[in-house]
Amino acid sequence: MLIGLVALYLSFTVAIGLWAARRVKSSTDFALAGRSLPLAMIVTTTFATWFGSETVLGISAKFVQGGLGNVVEDPFGASMCLVLVGLFFAYRLYRMNLLTIGDYYRKRFGPGIEIFCSCVIIFSYLGWVAAQITALGLVFNLLSVGAISLPGGMVLGVAIVLLYTVFGGMFSVAWTDFLQMIIIVVGLLAIAVMAGQLAGGADKVFALAQGNDWFRFWPEPKFHDIVFFFAAGITMMLGSIPQQDVFQRVMSAKNAETARLGPIIGGTAYLLFAFVPMFIVACAVLIMPEETKTLLAEDPQKVLPTLIMIHMPLAAQIFFFGALISAIMSTASATLLAPSTTFVENILKHLRPHMGDKQLLRALRVSLLGFAVLVLSYSILMQGTPIYELVSGAYQVTLVGAFVPLVSGLYWKPATTQGAVFSIVLGIVTWVLFFPQLTSWGESFPGQLAGLIAAGVGMVFGSLAPQLMRNRHELAHAHAPVHGHGAQGVHARPAGS
């Protein structure tokens, strides 16, 4: 019955997505839902896109392993990313009437920076989408009690998401996100209530968390702990800002004010609701202490599914898997669409500049299929990597390679193309030098923070150095004596004065 109801829900979701696809008439409809979405849908699509497998399975497991300080990257950093987008970026970018975030880099710094930053952004999606596909494989494997293998579950999950995304693009993503957010909220709240009752009441759960020091957020007052804590916090907080999926939701709004408010409300809702899976896993420690201890040592991501499958009734299982599949599919559809749109708009268009709108729409769909195959292969290759680690690692490259040019271009007038080049090169090279495979520097200082600092230095130096050198040359030339027949020095008194 559980498998049948989950299959029915998946069929309904696909039907909603295909129904929404009827509104796609152009490439703008496919990429940005015709820039027509109201505030409610911008809120739900930002919330649902962020609330993925790492929130349900990854964050909750990290919380019981190390407390709130262990999840500073997500949900704290991730939610603040959306708030910052709404406060400082959405309004300005919306008024520029762009199709992708790569278009901004072209308008501000030229096609070279556009192509490079677009490649960085596309690359960053490998880890994030792989996390969702891995989670889908895990869910189908659990539901079928092992009858569907993990790779088989991944293939099935990708096929379902593609079925509606490839036809409807952002229209389908927005409408399915709206449905999936309702399922996520209702399902997980119902599970939290049931889990709390099984654990003996919420007061016992909070007492357990207090006794295990799970509410501790701030690090020890040591340089090493503080700097790594700060670096973890800004990885998603700032590294997620120059991302196409975030930008796509901003640009899909019906007006600039909606684009500004949507991510602020969605980000705040995400932070608050991310505590629900943490509460449920804390309940699991009380309900099944021995199983939880074993799973935390072997595979922490299975704590929550195991609690639901073994200790809860069928109704709870339906609620849980409905909410979990909703969370994963909403994020997977968005993160498949975003890099595909970036590739077509900011890379393929340079190779085929005379494409008409119908050709562009076809290219968007083909690239979506191609990226899905690529990420599916990567997901199978990366089996065994924790979902939380796949997601957190995805944003470091955009943090060091794309964030500084975006902020500088919007808020610092002296920023130049040369400064952007210096920023990207210095940021990425410095970050790579901190890889544990190359040096041991990363043990003393976080590589992503070193890369961000280098990127900022590169932007300032690359933008100001040429102007300072010109000024110095002009000043030296102005004070040089003038030689030649009848000439006077530069300080000679003018005739007749």
Side-chain angles (χ1 to χ4, degrees), residues 165-186:
T165 309
V166 78
F167 289 104
M170 191 60 200
F171 265 125
S172 291
V173 169
W175 276 98
T176 52
D177 279 357
F178 185 78
L179 167 68
Q180 287 158 349
M181 179 181 170
I182 296 171
I183 301 298
I184 291 168
V185 171
V186 173

Side-chain angles (χ1 to χ4, degrees), residues 443-493:
E443 297 174 7
S444 304
F445 197 85
Q448 70 268 41
L449 181 56
L452 179 63
I453 294 170
V457 172
M459 174 59 76
V460 173
F461 176 79
S463 298
L464 297 184
Q467 183 62 45
L468 291 173
M469 290 176 66
R470 281 195 298 269
N471 292 345
R472 185 175 179 181
H473 176 74
E474 290 170 1
L475 189 63
H477 182 73
H479 286 81
V482 180
H483 302 286
H485 179 69
Q488 300 178 16
V490 291
H491 297 294
R493 185 182 298 274

Side-chain angles (χ1 to χ4, degrees), residues 341-421:
T341 307
T342 300
F343 170 75
V344 172
E345 174 69 13
N346 303 114
I347 297 176
L348 186 62
K349 265 191 173 183
H350 289 281
L351 303 175
R352 300 183 62 189
H354 303 298
M355 284 191 297
D357 196 69
K358 286 187 177 180
Q359 292 174 305
L360 194 61
L361 183 57
R362 190 183 305 116
L364 284 167
R365 286 171 169 152
V366 171
S367 67
L368 182 61
L369 287 168
F371 190 75
V373 172
L374 175 65
V375 176
L376 178 59
S377 304
Y378 179 76
S379 303
I380 294 173
L381 184 67
M382 295 295 289
Q383 279 185 75
T385 304
I387 290 171
Y388 192 92
E389 301 303 323
L390 283 171
V391 172
S392 61
Y395 297 105
Q396 293 190 16
V397 64
T398 46
L399 175 68
V400 302
F403 174 73
V404 170
L406 173 63
V407 177
S408 301
L410 284 174
Y411 286 99
W412 193 48
K413 287 184 179 180
T416 65
T417 300
Q418 182 169 298
V421 172

Side-chain angles (χ1 to χ4, degrees), residues 216-222 225-227 229-230:
R216 183 173 58 84
F217 180 71
W218 299 109
E220 294 294 326
K222 302 173 183 176
D225 293 353
I226 292 172
V227 76
F229 177 85
F230 178 75

Side-chain angles (χ1 to χ4, degrees), residues 111-262:
I113 300 300
E114 170 200 10
I115 292 172
F116 193 89
C117 283
S118 296
C119 289
V120 167
I121 291 167
I122 291 169
F123 176 76
S124 73
Y125 277 97
L126 278 176
W128 197 12
V129 188
Q132 312 315 314
I133 293 174
T134 300
L136 281 172
L138 178 63
V139 168
F140 289 125
N141 177 259
L142 289 171
L143 278 173
S144 65
V145 198
I148 299 175
S149 66
L150 192 59
M154 292 180 187
V155 173
L156 178 60
V158 169
I160 293 170
V161 173
L162 279 177
L163 191 57
Y164 63 85
T165 309
V166 78
F167 289 104
M170 191 60 200
F171 265 125
S172 291
V173 169
W175 276 98
T176 52
D177 279 357
F178 185 78
L179 167 68
Q180 287 158 349
M181 179 181 170
I182 296 171
I183 301 298
I184 291 168
V185 171
V186 173
L188 287 180
L189 284 177
I191 292 291
V193 171
M194 288 185 249
Q197 291 172 345
L198 287 173
D203 55 334
K204 289 189 177 180
V205 180
F206 287 119
L208 173 71
Q210 189 72 43
N212 287 326
D213 203 21
W214 288 344
F215 291 136
R216 183 173 58 84
F217 180 71
W218 299 109
E220 294 294 326
K222 302 173 183 176
F223 176 78
H224 179 275
D225 293 353
I226 292 172
V227 76
F228 273 86
F229 177 85
F230 178 75
I234 65 169
T235 297
M236 288 186 73
M237 186 189 302
L238 305 182
S240 302
I241 291 176
Q243 289 282 10
Q244 176 61 19
D245 61 292
V246 177
F247 177 87
Q248 224 155 353
R249 273 129 199 82
V250 169
M251 293 299 107
S252 297
K254 65 179 182 179
N255 55 49
E257 186 63 16
T258 300
R260 185 181 68 83
L261 285 175

Side-chain angles (χ1 to χ4, degrees), residues 14-15 20 26 31 41 46 50 58 62 96 160 164 237 246 282 284 294 297 320 336 343 351 410:
V14 170
S26 66
M41 295 195 78
T46 49
W50 241 232
K62 295 274 285 185
M96 295 177 71
I160 293 170
Y164 63 85
M237 186 189 302
V246 177
T294 303
F320 173 74
L336 280 173
F343 170 75
L351 303 175
L410 284 174

